[in-house]
Amino acid sequence: MTAALAIENLTKTYANGFQALKGVSLTVRKGDFYALLGPNGAGKSTTIGIISSLITKTSGQVRIFGHDIDHDFNSAKRLLGLVPQEFNFNVFEPVEEILVNQAGYFGIDRPRAFARAEQCLRQLGLWEKRREQARDLSGGMKRRLMIARALVHQPKLLILDEPTAGVDIEIRRSMWAYLRELNAAGTTIILTTHYLEEAESLCRHIGIIDAGELIEDTSMKQLLGQLDMETFVLDLRRPLRALPPLERGNVRLLDETTLEADISRDNSINFLFEALSRHNIEVLSMRNKTNRLEQLFVHMLENNGGDKA
Amino acid sequence: MTLGEQYIAFKAIVIKEVLRFLRIWVQTIVPPVITMSLYFVIFGNLIGSQIGAMDGYRYMDYIVPGLIMMSVITNSYANVVSSFYGCKFHRHIEEMLVSPLPYYLIILGFMFGGIARGMMVGLAVTLVSMLFTDLPLHNLAVVVTTVILTSALFSLAGLINAVFAKSFDDISIVPTFVLTPLTYLGGVFYSIHMLPELWQQVSRLNPILYMVNTFRYGFLGISDIDIGLAYAIIFGFIAALYGYALYLLKTGHGIRK
């Protein structure tokens, strides 16, 4: 099956001599939801810039659904939608005009462009704002406008470079829901984000770039399977002065009503509840202390030459 | 892209460009009209009435075509240099770069935007000039082709300036230090036959001289230079600037890292 995105030995050295990419190769399958993660300056945005023709590569090959971006850029670009990290629309143009212009650049005539713009703006909750200048939109609306613009020509591969940076949790969750729908409808999505719970919640495959190299490219399930221990925080109904002795697990009392427990992935968590029940300790709620992906991410970067995150 | 799609894409850029300068018409259309009205009053009426005939025409009639051309040159250049640099500065040039738009179409789109502004300002200034003089029309085809070709030429020059510009200061250097002196020395206010032989020859190196004189020929039927040579020079400049602009965009100069 043709990959949605195939990158081979991609390198980029900027004019100042900085080597941003040192031979990155990765493949994103058709229909996938792929997270491209890495610390700031790792090479994520450079990779995306090259895929979308905003940055000139030094060497290597990029194919979008089998179309080489050098030799068949027309077909390749039609299949690609980009939501960049920074706002890059004309803030003085009305919202609808931004989408209609973008559709025009893809050769979509104005009647069809207006229809597509309406569809995208309605889906992203911006239809009522269509006549307003983009500068008058809130931060969250501007983010959604960028997504609407990227979708106006109906791309099969959508790349989002930190799409939820700086938006509140409500908007972020509505954007997640929309992206899930889009992916379920067949659009391949590549996402870069610094919110690792976002990547864990949305993506099926993950690539981690550090210092211009791809240090991990695997499925989310396999990656999370590498965790051998998880830490949970338990909120107790009644205050506890001292922790009774428990047979297994490393359990600590953080304060009178909060426990912290390290549980091996080989063990069932039931034993902890049974042990606490035996001592008449009632648990009100429980949560992961840290995001699982975050734990692995930091660990990998440390192994790759120090804490750069 | 098919030819039909290319036409749609080209139209999209031109519409965007025209809407841009119409949205800010107080900054783009009104100022040249006011400036030229002052020229008509001061140089044409007040000072011009003290000057004798130039090549058989009243001084006011003599300078009007040059002043119209001056506003066309300034505005077509200003339109593209500010619009293209604004696209770069605010990064919405990326909207075009991620699309399948061929580079030549981007250049033509901006160029026609510049032509539209040049013609609109030229027309407005011409209408105002009619309040001061009954301008004869010797050859309409020459008038129309000269205004289109001149604004095309200076639109391309503006685009090249914008490609190289790294700050808003950079887009005002060429108009201030190159374009304005060349325009004033390009025969707008005088015939080069009034100059000593040496300065006549130096003046012939100024491309604006050819545009101003061709345009004046279209209205009055008089010119300091050969019209055929003027067209050849204008076409030559357009071809050279277009080729250079295409080379710059293809190599990503100033627009891609």
Side-chain angles (χ1 to χ4, degrees):
Chain A
M1 191 172 72
T2 311
L5 176 70
I7 296 177
E8 283 168 35
N9 288 320
L10 195 62
T11 67
K12 173 65 187 179
T13 306
Y14 285 102
N16 60 7
F18 174 67
Q19 200 177 359
L21 295 178
K22 302 166 184 167
V24 169
S25 296
L26 69 88
T27 302
V28 177
R29 280 178 256 181
K30 200 172 163 184
D32 203 354
F33 207 136
Y34 189 96
L36 188 61
L37 306 181
N40 289 331
K44 303 183 301 292
S45 293
T46 300
T47 307
I48 289 172
I50 292 171
I51 297 167
S52 51
S53 313
L54 298 177
I55 296 175
T56 312
K57 63 185 163 61
T58 303
S59 67
Q61 199 179 37
V62 179
R63 286 192 303 275
I64 298 169
F65 288 96
H67 301 284
D68 190 296
I69 60 162
D70 293 325
H71 305 113
D72 193 7
F73 80 98
N74 189 9
S75 306
K77 284 180 171 183
R78 278 170 194 277
L79 295 164
L80 178 70
L82 174 70
V83 181
Q85 202 177 111
E86 313 268 345
F87 298 130
N88 69 342
F89 42 75
N90 186 346
V91 292
F92 299 106
E93 280 178 358
V95 168
E96 190 178 35
E97 209 173 293
I98 289 172
L99 267 69
V100 170
N101 286 341
Q102 186 70 28
Y105 303 154
F106 281 84
I108 299 169
D109 59 44
R110 284 181 82 77
R112 275 195 304 145
F114 274 106
R116 285 289 308 145
E118 179 177 350
Q119 192 182 345
C120 293
L121 291 174
R122 282 191 189 282
Q123 280 169 345
L124 283 145
L126 292 170
W127 179 241
E128 303 304 321
K129 302 282 179 186
R130 66 189 180 283
R131 305 256 186 262
E132 288 188 22
Q133 288 190 344
R135 64 177 171 171
D136 296 328
L137 299 183
S138 68
M141 285 176 182
K142 284 176 182 160
R143 289 265 164 223
R144 282 183 279 154
L145 171 60
M146 301 247 282
I147 297 176
R149 185 187 58 182
L151 292 173
V152 77
H153 64 285
Q154 298 176 305
K156 286 186 174 175
L157 172 63
L158 180 66
I159 299 181
L160 304 114
D161 195 0
E162 297 186 34
T164 56
V167 302
D168 66 43
I169 189 66
E170 195 185 347
I171 294 171
R172 197 183 307 164
R173 286 187 187 281
S174 73
M175 280 165 76
W176 290 0
Y178 183 67
L179 293 176
R180 277 197 191 97
E181 272 177 40
L182 208 62
N183 181 241
T187 306
T188 308
I189 298 179
I190 298 174
L191 173 82
T192 81
T193 179
H194 284 295
Y195 302 115
L196 297 183
E197 76 277 15
E198 182 168 274
E200 187 179 337
S201 149
L202 291 171
C203 302
R204 289 190 287 280
H205 285 90
I206 181 168
I208 298 179
I209 292 187
D210 187 30
E213 289 172 299
L214 193 71
I215 59 170
E216 188 61 86
D217 184 14
T218 183
S219 75
M220 189 67 77
K221 204 172 171 183
Q222 268 186 330
L223 187 70
L224 295 176
Q226 291 176 22
L227 274 175
D228 50 6
M229 190 75 81
E230 281 193 70
T231 303
F232 294 96
V233 176
L234 297 92
D235 298 311
L236 308 179
R237 180 176 289 279
R238 286 180 295 276
L240 201 61
R241 290 194 173 187
L243 187 68
L246 301 173
E247 298 82 22
R248 280 187 292 165
N250 180 11
V251 183
R252 302 169 292 281
L253 186 62
L254 295 184
D255 59 47
E256 284 188 338
T257 55
T258 315
L259 284 181
E260 194 175 270
D262 299 328
I263 310 289
S264 162
R265 286 177 69 90
D266 299 333
N267 285 332
S268 155
I269 199 165
N270 285 0
F271 89 89
L272 180 65
F273 289 106
E274 284 165 12
L276 292 173
S277 294
R278 274 200 299 278
H279 293 284
N280 207 21
I281 300 171
E282 204 178 332
V283 177
L284 268 182
S285 62
M286 184 181 82
R287 63 183 184 278
N288 271 88
K289 185 187 179 188
T290 52
N291 175 270
R292 297 179 300 168
L293 184 56
E294 189 174 306
Q295 214 172 316
L296 274 167
F297 180 73
V298 171
H299 179 67
M300 280 177 177
L301 295 184
E302 281 170 356
N303 283 351
N304 195 47
D307 186 4
K308 294 167 187 163
Chain B
M1 289 180 108
T2 63
L3 270 179
E5 287 172 334
Q6 290 194 27
Y7 175 66
I8 290 167
F10 165 74
K11 222 169 58 175
I13 305 175
V14 176
I15 291 172
K16 177 183 80 79
E17 283 300 289
V18 171
L19 288 178
R20 188 196 72 86
F21 74 72
L22 287 181
R23 216 173 6 241
I24 47 171
W25 61 275
V26 178
Q27 296 169 44
T28 53
I29 309 291
V30 177
V33 174
I34 292 174
T35 308
M36 289 306 143
S37 302
L38 292 171
Y39 274 110
F40 294 145
V41 172
I42 297 164
F43 290 97
N45 262 0
L46 300 177
I47 299 173
S49 61
Q50 306 299 312
I51 301 172
M54 295 276 281
D55 288 344
Y57 284 92
R58 285 193 310 141
Y59 189 65
M60 168 65 102
D61 295 341
Y62 186 82
I63 65 168
V64 163
L67 290 174
I68 297 169
M69 189 46 83
M70 193 159 117
S71 59
V72 169
I73 289 171
T74 314
N75 281 276
S76 52
Y77 189 94
N79 193 70
V80 181
V81 76
S82 60
S83 178
F84 197 84
Y85 182 70
C87 281
K88 265 177 57 175
F89 184 78
H90 297 289
R91 298 180 56 180
H92 42 92
I93 186 75
E94 292 176 5
E95 292 178 339
M96 293 181 192
L97 297 180
V98 299
S99 77
L101 269 172
Y103 293 116
Y104 84 87
L105 221 51
I106 296 177
I107 296 171
L108 289 182
F110 276 95
M111 189 181 90
F112 272 78
I115 292 173
R117 168 138 162 222
M119 289 186 74
M120 205 167 283
V121 169
L123 184 67
V125 172
T126 306
L127 292 175
V128 171
S129 74
M130 288 172 170
L131 300 173
F132 299 90
T133 179
D134 293 321
L135 206 58
L137 184 62
H138 177 73
N139 188 325
L140 179 65
V142 171
V143 167
V144 174
T145 52
T146 311
V147 79
I148 290 174
L149 292 172
T150 303
S151 47
L153 192 160
F154 283 96
S155 297
L156 290 169
L159 192 141
I160 292 168
N161 184 173
V163 166
F164 282 106
K166 289 188 169 67
S167 69
F168 281 99
D169 289 341
D170 293 344
I171 65 171
S172 61
I173 287 173
V174 175
T176 308
F177 295 105
V178 180
L179 218 51
T180 307
L182 284 182
T183 312
Y184 276 81
L185 297 170
V188 173
F189 298 100
Y190 58 86
S191 163
I192 58 164
H193 296 312
M194 295 164 69
L195 302 173
E197 183 57 31
L198 173 67
W199 291 107
Q200 282 190 37
Q201 296 309 322
V202 172
S203 292
R204 286 179 198 279
L205 298 174
N206 178 0
I208 293 177
L209 176 81
Y210 297 86
M211 297 157 212
V212 168
N213 272 279
T214 312
F215 198 60
R216 183 177 287 134
Y217 175 83
F219 280 107
L220 308 180
I222 54 167
S223 170
D224 290 346
I225 43 93
D226 177 64
I227 300 301
L229 175 67
Y231 273 113
I233 286 173
I234 296 170
F235 275 117
F237 266 100
I238 289 175
L241 292 173
Y242 174 80
Y244 188 45
L246 192 59
Y247 164 78
L248 289 173
L249 292 203
K250 274 189 173 173
T251 51
H253 197 102
I255 53 168
R256 278 189 284 142
K257 290 180 204 163

